[in-house]
């Protein structure tokens, strides 16, 4: 059956958007793919490159097996076929920032074959996106054209760094799905520890292939937008490209198969070059590298090190704490947040664990995320520790403080890092639950407001809130609301 949810109405017809993404993910490793040079980000230009990276004659590549293991781990994390036999090929092209004139990559026999990942849509549902392959390749260097009026500067620090190119099937049907795919992939890579996912440092870059077709037609001609380095830009680039292609097609034009660049300043894509075909690169197996053979044992060993991945963790949080799907989804979006959350729940002394779990989730997603945004901090840099959040929630649940007072305690807690119990003590914020004390306070209030009491008794029921307000004010908000309500009901009737 035709899925019509994502169709776009143009001037003359309905259009279906087809997107396939190629993600370049920098492998987390201390050294490069074929030599021992460091991969530290932000070092002085050309200080992290050696004889191999500068293509000195006679230099030979030596495969870094840490990077191979990382690729295997990633493949397993995206439910993919691990190929026990793969081959390194030379992809020939001549760029100033690639001294040897070819990139070592994998073409016909990649290390990882078909897999998939489930993306999370805004309506709470998920959709499976196929992954075609994952292959290992080395990065090129970096050319900078705007440091000198007539010269180009070249930094080879990046040349030779290991990348995983992860290619999706053309299963993606909208801008939102494209963004969700990159988010999910990045989360999985971070959980696995195989790529840090820092898009602003270029550790994760996206090439977006986009085409349109009328529903039911064969795939249309695609344009490829290269090197998008943020999820927001990806959204803008795809949106722009959909509109551009739709206008051309509706006017009876043809889409050129080309490579385009996204100009973040202007929010548009511009043509860079017509698209190369595989034969333009004259691929051939690298004669300096033997085929890569993986034993079953090696793959199994890596499989045993896989952490619990986001989907499984989300399901577990829902099952064991009764969390709503959305809460669980937000909490597992980053491993550090999930760990903070689970520790807080574990150390909570509340008798009703499920209630504490839900409250801790609310506080984390509300007050804590709010404070992080406001202060520009992260879960790693903030002063708040899981035990303190748990303690705060415990104080609310055992009625030592009200939810309202708890917000004040939270602000102090955030600033000082002191324990909630101590803060409540120091600031004298403990909820007043002493019935006798509250009773005499209410007696006084009633004496001071005899006219209002009379009005209430004469039938003006809405005055009840007025008395609650007075009681809270008289105790700086510390009176236990339930006891105050009971007492007022009794005394006013
Ligand atoms: P290349 O290696 O030349 O970039 P591939 O055929 O390997 O080309 O495809 C690269 C990406 O383009 C894949 O993610 C694939 O899903 C996507 N793709 C292929 N055809 C289309 C199309 N007609 N529209 C959108 N995406 C496409
Ligand atoms: Mg491509």
């Amino acid at each position: 059956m035709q899925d019509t949810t994502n169709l776009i109405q143009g001037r003359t017809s309905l259009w279906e958007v087809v997107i396939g993404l190629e993600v370049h993910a920098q492998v987390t490793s201390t050294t490069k793919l074929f030599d021992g040079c460091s991969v530290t980000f932000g070092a002085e230009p050309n200080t992290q490159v050696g004889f191999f990276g500068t293509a000195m004659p006679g230099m030979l590549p030596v495969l870094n097996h840490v990077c191979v293991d990382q690729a295997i781990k990633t493949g397993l994390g995206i439910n993919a076929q691990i190929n026990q036999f793969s081959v390194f090929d030379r992809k020939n092209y001549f760029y100033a920032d690639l001294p040897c004139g070819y990139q070592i990559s994998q073409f016909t026999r990649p290390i990882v074959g078909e897999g998939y990942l489930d993306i999370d849509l805004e309506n709470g549902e998920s959709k499976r996106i196929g992954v075609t392959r994952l292959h290992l390749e080395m990065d090129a260097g970096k050319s900078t054209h705007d440091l000198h009026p007539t010269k180009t500067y070249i930094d080879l620090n990046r040349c030779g760094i290991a990348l995983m190119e992860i290619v999706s099937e053309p299963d993606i049907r909208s801008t939102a799905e494209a963004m969700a795919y990159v988010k999910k992939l990045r989360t999985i890579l971070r959980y696995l520890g195989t790529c840090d996912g820092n898009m602003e440092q270029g550790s994760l870059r996206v090439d977006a292939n986009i085409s349109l077709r009328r529903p039911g037609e064969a795939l249309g001609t695609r344009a490829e937008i290269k090197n998008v380095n943020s999820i927001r830009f990806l959204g803008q680039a795809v949106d722009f490209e959909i509109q551009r292609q739709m206008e051309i097609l509706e006017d009876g034009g043809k889409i050129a198969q080309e490579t385009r660049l996204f100009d973040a300043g202007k929010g548009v894509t511009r043509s860079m070059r017509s698209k190369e075909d595989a034969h333009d690169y004259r691929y051939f197996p690298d004669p300096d590298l033997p085929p890569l053979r993986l034993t079953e044992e090696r793959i199994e060993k890596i499989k045993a090190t896989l952490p619990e991945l986001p989907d499984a963790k989300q399901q577990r949080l829902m099952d064991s704490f009764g969390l709503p799907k959305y809460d669980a989804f937000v909490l597992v979006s980053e491993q550090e947040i999930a760990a903070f959350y689970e520790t807080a729940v574990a150390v909570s002394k509340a008798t009703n664990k499920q209630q504490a779990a839900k409250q801790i989730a609310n506080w984390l997603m509300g007050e804590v995320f709010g404070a992080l945004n406001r202060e520009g901090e992260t879960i790693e840099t903030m002063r708040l520790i899981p035990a303190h959040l748990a303690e705060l929630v415990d104080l609310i649940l055992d009625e030592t403080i009200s939810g309202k007072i708890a917000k004040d305690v939270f602000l102090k807690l955030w600033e000082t890092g002191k324990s909630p119990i101590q803060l409540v003590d120091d600031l004298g914020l403990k909820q007043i639950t002493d019935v006798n004390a509250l009773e005499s306070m209410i007696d006084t209030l009633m004496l001071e407001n005899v006219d209002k009491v009379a009005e209430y008794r004469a039938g003006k029921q809405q005055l009840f809130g007025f008395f609650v307000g007075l009681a809270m004010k008289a105790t700086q908000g510390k009176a236990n609301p339930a006891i105050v309500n009971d007492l007022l009901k009794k005394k006013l009737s």
Side-chain angles (χ1 to χ4, degrees):
M1 209 179 72
Q2 178 70 42
D3 174 13
T4 55
T5 39
N6 281 314
L7 298 184
I8 298 180
Q9 179 65 57
R11 271 183 287 118
T12 62
S13 91
L14 274 176
W15 295 100
E16 182 178 29
V17 177
V18 176
I19 302 171
L21 297 178
E22 294 163 275
V23 171
H24 287 93
Q26 180 177 328
V27 175
T28 298
S29 134
T30 49
T31 55
K32 295 184 178 180
L33 185 54
F34 297 115
D35 67 24
C37 289
S38 158
V39 302
T40 309
F41 179 78
E44 280 290 301
N46 299 309
T47 57
Q48 321 239 13
V49 63
F51 292 126
F52 176 75
T54 48
M56 287 296 167
M59 291 299 118
L60 292 173
V62 179
L63 183 59
N64 180 345
H65 277 278
V66 170
C67 298
V68 173
D69 286 346
Q70 293 283 57
I72 297 170
K73 197 170 186 182
T74 306
L76 294 170
I78 54 175
N79 317 290
Q81 166 72 37
I82 308 300
N83 294 325
Q84 287 181 255
F85 180 87
S86 67
V87 173
F88 288 99
D89 298 292
R90 289 187 182 179
K91 181 180 185 180
N92 296 279
Y93 58 93
F94 299 97
Y95 283 168
D97 49 28
L98 188 63
C100 59
Y102 58 84
Q103 177 189 27
I104 305 178
S105 179
Q106 297 190 299
F107 183 53
T108 49
R109 315 276 315 224
I111 181 168
V112 175
E114 284 180 22
Y116 64 84
L117 55 95
D118 292 327
I119 62 170
D120 310 285
L121 304 177
E122 267 150 22
N123 62 8
E125 285 172 19
S126 58
K127 173 176 170 177
R128 183 154 294 181
I129 305 294
V131 169
T132 316
R133 57 186 276 157
L134 174 158
H135 62 255
L136 276 169
E137 62 184 27
M138 58 183 246
D139 205 352
K142 186 176 176 216
S143 300
T144 307
H145 307 287
D146 55 6
L147 289 177
H148 189 279
T150 57
K151 293 188 163 77
T152 289
Y153 282 69
I154 292 175
D155 175 8
L156 293 177
N157 284 355
R158 228 169 59 187
C159 187
I161 285 182
L163 302 177
M164 297 179 282
E165 177 168 336
I166 304 164
V167 182
S168 89
E169 289 289 302
D171 289 347
I172 298 164
R173 288 290 172 274
S174 68
T175 306
E177 287 185 11
M179 294 167 80
Y181 174 87
V182 177
K183 275 189 200 155
K184 189 58 172 282
L185 181 57
R186 185 177 59 176
T187 302
I188 293 173
L189 293 170
R190 285 180 170 162
Y191 266 65
L192 293 167
T194 56
C195 167
D196 65 26
N198 288 339
M199 297 186 81
E200 60 294 349
Q201 294 185 356
S203 307
L204 197 85
R205 314 190 295 258
V206 182
D207 299 345
N209 296 270
I210 302 159
S211 66
L212 297 185
R213 65 176 170 188
R214 292 185 176 84
E217 281 183 352
L219 289 183
T221 306
R222 69 191 149 119
E224 178 175 12
I225 309 168
K226 276 279 177 201
N227 271 332
V228 184
N229 63 359
S230 93
I231 291 176
R232 192 163 57 90
F233 290 162
L234 175 67
Q236 292 172 1
V238 172
D239 276 342
F240 178 87
E241 196 53 28
I242 292 171
Q243 287 306 320
R244 186 187 73 86
Q245 293 190 13
M246 198 159 68
E247 273 162 38
I248 294 173
L249 293 170
E250 298 219 320
D251 288 341
K254 276 198 161 64
I255 302 300
Q257 176 150 335
E258 63 183 356
T259 301
R260 300 177 70 85
L261 273 186
F262 179 63
D263 179 336
K266 298 202 176 73
V268 303
T269 65
R270 278 187 280 109
S271 180
M272 184 163 85
R273 55 171 189 255
S274 70
K275 174 126 184 77
E276 308 85 347
D277 280 318
H279 62 250
D280 293 327
Y281 290 115
R282 292 166 287 119
Y283 279 102
F284 63 89
D286 192 309
D288 294 335
L289 286 159
L292 177 59
R293 293 172 202 275
L294 307 175
T295 61
E296 192 70 48
E297 199 191 348
R298 179 170 178 183
I299 299 168
E300 286 305 317
K301 217 166 130 193
I302 294 170
K303 200 180 262 173
T305 69
L306 286 189
E308 180 182 40
L309 289 171
D311 289 343
K313 202 186 276 294
Q314 182 180 353
Q315 193 57 51
R316 184 171 55 77
L317 291 185
M318 289 161 66
D319 293 344
S320 46
F321 303 133
L323 280 189
K325 189 171 181 183
Y326 177 76
D327 293 25
F329 168 69
V330 172
L331 294 173
V332 305
S333 65
E334 284 179 38
Q335 216 168 10
E336 293 76 15
I337 294 172
F340 185 100
Y341 174 72
E342 290 204 67
T343 311
V345 174
V347 301
S348 161
K349 296 192 181 70
T351 38
N352 186 337
K353 259 287 190 274
Q354 290 228 346
Q355 203 180 11
K358 177 67 184 128
Q359 284 278 337
I360 291 171
N362 289 348
W363 276 83
L364 198 51
M365 291 160 62
E367 304 298 311
V368 179
F369 284 6
L372 289 177
N373 278 336
R374 203 168 55 235
E375 315 282 336
E377 299 227 41
T378 66
I379 205 108
E380 291 94 18
T381 62
M382 70 178 180
R383 212 181 238 158
L384 181 69
I385 58 170
H388 284 170
L389 187 61
E391 201 175 289
L392 185 67
V393 165
D394 289 352
L395 289 173
I396 304 169
L397 292 180
D398 71 11
E399 299 192 340
T400 307
I401 55 174
S402 67
K404 195 158 170 297
I405 295 271
K407 300 224 161 154
D408 299 335
V409 176
F410 177 79
L411 291 179
K412 287 270 182 298
L413 173 59
W414 183 266
E415 274 167 35
T416 63
K418 282 190 189 169
S419 95
I421 290 181
Q422 196 192 339
L423 282 168
V424 167
D425 245 21
D426 289 357
L427 303 170
L429 294 175
K430 227 180 163 122
Q431 183 154 268
I432 305 171
T433 50
D434 177 344
V435 179
N436 290 333
L438 291 175
E439 195 165 5
S440 70
M441 183 261 307
I442 285 171
D443 287 339
T444 315
L445 287 178
M446 287 173 65
L447 280 176
E448 288 167 2
N449 295 278
V450 275
D451 48 336
K452 291 279 194 299
V453 174
E455 279 177 51
Y456 179 86
R457 287 186 176 144
K460 206 168 169 193
Q461 298 283 313
Q462 61 273 41
L463 277 175
F464 193 78
F466 165 77
F467 288 107
V468 174
L470 283 182
M472 292 319 258
K473 205 167 154 205
T475 56
Q476 290 102 45
K478 290 183 290 185
N480 176 300
I483 301 178
V484 166
N485 268 297
D486 282 352
L487 286 172
L488 279 172
K489 266 186 205 139
K490 207 166 69 196
K491 294 192 164 278
L492 284 170
S493 63

